[in-house]
Amino acid sequence: MKNFYRLFIPFVLFLSISCSSPDINLSQDFDHGSLGDMKETSPGYFKGKTAHWLKRDGIGDQYYWFYFRADHVAGKTLSIELRDLIGVYRGNPHLVYTDHTQPVFSYDRENWERITDVSYDSATHTFIFSESFQQDTVWIAYAHPYPWSRLEQLTGKLQDQEYVTLENIAKTAEGREIRLVTITDPQADAENKKTVLIMALQHSGEDAGGFLVEGLIDYLLSEDPGAQQARGKFIFHVIPMMNPDGIVNGITRYNTAMEDLNNIWVNDERAQPEVTGVKSWVDRWYAEGNAIDLFIDVHNHSQFHTYHAFIFQDHSLDSLVTDMNNHWPIRIWHSEFEGSSCSWFFREGIPSGTIELSQSRIGDGPYLTIEDYLDYGAGTVKGIVEFFEN
Ligand SMILES: [Zn+2]
């Protein structure tokens, strides 16, 4: 019997080694995928950087976004160490990662979970996270990704929907359409309707805004009495994705010309087709005798986790924030983003503000989910209706 084990155990060991799964493989070659050079320094432990994106003027350098696929991970622990996570924003250090940063992972790109085994060293700007997986293929991202394919799916769903008009108002350098979704009840009295324009995803890598506007569209098309009221009294124009080229190519923040779209609204020398298209649409809308009563631009503020903010210059929208805060947590922040879409609309005499969503959590609360961002979309509509009613 002893001899049997002497022979059997090495045989089993040989089998388990020769049958062990192949090495972990990381890839980023898909819609919204992004990762810099990574090296496997020990089995399952990868060190490297996120992909760098230097702004066209050379004074912006943003590179926090990552989104990759890992194969052959079932039953293994994958650790990722990202170094030098200190970007440049308007000439200043851009510190996006904090103790509160938690990436997300998914086996099907529908259901996402947070990765909780994380650590951030603020002295060296190094972020490390680890997760063990049950399935062989997993997608991992800096935050819940809102890819171009999701918008295409949504747009397909909206074709021929009651209350919806779809338009393409610009074409990007890579030929993608900038969509404009208009929602209103055409049977309702057009005379006294208010017009609201909402835009998201000028900055690729600020994906939560995509979910907010999708939730806003879903709510507006629902049978909820508040939605019926909103359709009757408002025209909602929604631009769900201003920077599809940046999204598809996995660029943090910029479009493929390496231009920050939200920096160039008042500077025609740096014009980009995405922004020019919206301005032309606004001109046409006004030329047809219409107005815009409110403009909202949706962004994310990195991983700063104290609150969601609504940023605007004066006090004209203070009570809008109070009304929105009745439905989801958001606070006033008076400031000005020079050159931004908001400053352009403000100069046109249109009340305008920027929603800045947290990508992690609010205070010590639970980490935010896609459902939270979708709910904020409904809350945004409800707040806007209350604001104009009062
Ligand atoms: Zn932004």
Side-chain angles (χ1 to χ4, degrees):
M1 204 60 187
K2 244 183 185 170
N3 272 343
F4 169 76
Y5 283 114
R6 229 173 259 157
L7 289 169
F8 182 70
I9 291 169
F11 177 67
V12 167
L13 275 174
F14 166 76
L15 265 187
S16 66
I17 290 165
S18 61
C19 294
S20 68
S21 70
D23 291 344
I24 294 174
N25 177 54
L26 308 183
S27 59
Q28 45 145 330
D29 192 14
F30 53 88
D31 178 8
H32 208 14
S34 186
L35 191 64
D37 288 334
M38 300 296 293
K39 225 181 219 150
E40 191 170 16
T41 55
S42 61
Y45 196 101
F46 289 80
K47 278 187 188 181
K49 296 178 179 182
T50 55
H52 261 246
W53 307 101
L54 187 64
K55 198 173 154 209
R56 194 177 188 173
D57 62 11
I59 55 164
D61 196 1
Q62 302 253 318
Y63 47 85
Y64 61 82
W65 179 255
F66 63 82
Y67 180 21
F68 60 90
R69 198 180 81 187
D71 290 308
H72 315 305
V73 292
K76 297 177 188 170
T77 299
L78 172 65
S79 298
I80 302 285
E81 179 178 321
L82 299 170
R83 284 166 291 163
D84 304 331
L85 291 167
I86 176 165
V88 180
Y89 172 63
R90 296 187 180 219
N92 298 312
H94 192 231
L95 299 167
V96 171
Y97 287 81
T98 73
D99 291 343
H100 294 260
T101 304
Q102 285 192 354
V104 293
F105 76 93
S106 171
Y107 296 119
D108 57 9
R109 288 189 279 181
E110 291 282 325
N111 303 291
W112 294 87
E113 280 179 59
R114 295 278 184 172
I115 293 173
T116 56
D117 182 357
V118 296
S119 72
Y120 178 67
D121 182 342
S122 59
T124 60
H125 308 293
T126 301
F127 183 68
I128 304 171
F129 62 92
S130 298
E131 183 67 53
S132 303
F133 300 106
Q134 275 93 51
Q135 296 188 29
D136 218 32
T137 293
V138 66
W139 282 266
I140 300 173
Y142 165 77
H144 305 97
Y146 198 99
W148 167 247
S149 57
R150 183 160 177 139
L151 176 64
E152 288 295 89
Q153 242 172 31
L154 175 68
T155 313
K157 211 177 71 182
L158 295 174
Q159 302 276 358
D160 306 320
Q161 271 247 28
E162 202 182 0
Y163 313 122
V164 176
T165 312
L166 287 173
E167 281 173 79
N168 298 325
I169 56 168
K171 202 171 252 194
T172 67
E174 294 193 345
R176 295 186 184 89
E177 303 285 358
I178 303 297
R179 314 281 192 202
L180 174 73
V181 181
T182 300
I183 300 176
T184 192
D185 181 355
Q187 308 295 332
D189 173 26
E191 273 291 277
N192 301 312
K193 274 184 185 170
K194 297 286 183 193
T195 297
V196 180
L197 176 62
I198 297 181
M199 177 192 290
L201 283 165
Q202 287 201 81
H203 294 143
S204 42
E206 299 188 7
D207 293 45
F211 295 106
L212 185 146
V213 295
E214 186 180 305
L216 180 142
I217 290 169
D218 283 346
Y219 176 72
L220 280 172
L221 295 176
S222 73
E223 289 308 311
D224 190 275
Q228 290 178 21
Q229 185 193 3
R231 292 194 299 262
K233 295 189 170 171
F234 291 82
I235 300 169
F236 277 89
H237 294 296
V238 185
I239 302 170
M241 189 181 286
M242 267 292 275
N243 186 6
D245 287 0
I247 292 276
V248 170
N249 290 288
I251 299 167
T252 300
R253 199 177 185 95
Y254 312 131
N255 69 357
T256 49
M258 291 303 123
E259 193 58 273
D260 184 333
L261 296 179
N262 204 32
N263 271 191
I264 58 166
W265 281 76
V266 299
N267 186 339
D268 289 338
E269 279 164 29
R270 289 166 62 194
Q272 293 293 310
E274 298 89 342
V275 172
T276 309
V278 176
K279 287 183 185 174
S280 307
W281 174 82
V282 170
D283 287 347
R284 289 200 298 279
W285 180 252
Y286 272 85
E288 290 164 10
N290 305 302
I292 296 173
D293 300 288
L294 177 64
F295 168 73
I296 295 178
D297 194 18
V298 190
H299 290 253
N300 294 161
H301 56 60
S302 60
Q303 290 276 352
F304 174 61
H305 60 92
T306 317
Y307 49 79
H308 305 301
F310 191 78
I311 306 178
F312 54 100
Q313 281 180 246
D314 56 7
H315 287 274
S316 60
L317 299 176
D318 282 2
S319 67
L320 170 64
V321 184
T322 313
D323 292 331
M324 282 205 283
N325 188 54
N326 290 333
H327 304 283
W328 64 286
I330 186 163
R331 290 196 203 167
I332 294 168
W333 183 358
H334 291 124
S335 183
E336 184 185 353
F337 285 150
E338 181 54 37
S340 71
S341 57
C342 278
S343 53
W344 186 79
F345 280 93
F346 190 76
R347 283 181 205 187
E348 300 285 308
I350 299 164
S352 61
T354 300
I355 289 176
E356 293 278 353
L357 295 165
S358 166
Q359 280 173 317
S360 55
R361 67 207 294 205
I362 301 300
D364 295 327
Y367 274 79
L368 299 166
T369 65
I370 288 177
E371 283 65 38
D372 290 326
Y373 297 124
L374 294 169
D375 285 347
Y376 297 162
T380 301
V381 174
K382 292 172 190 171
I384 289 169
V385 171
E386 280 176 26
F387 173 69
F388 283 103
E389 294 273 289
N390 297 330

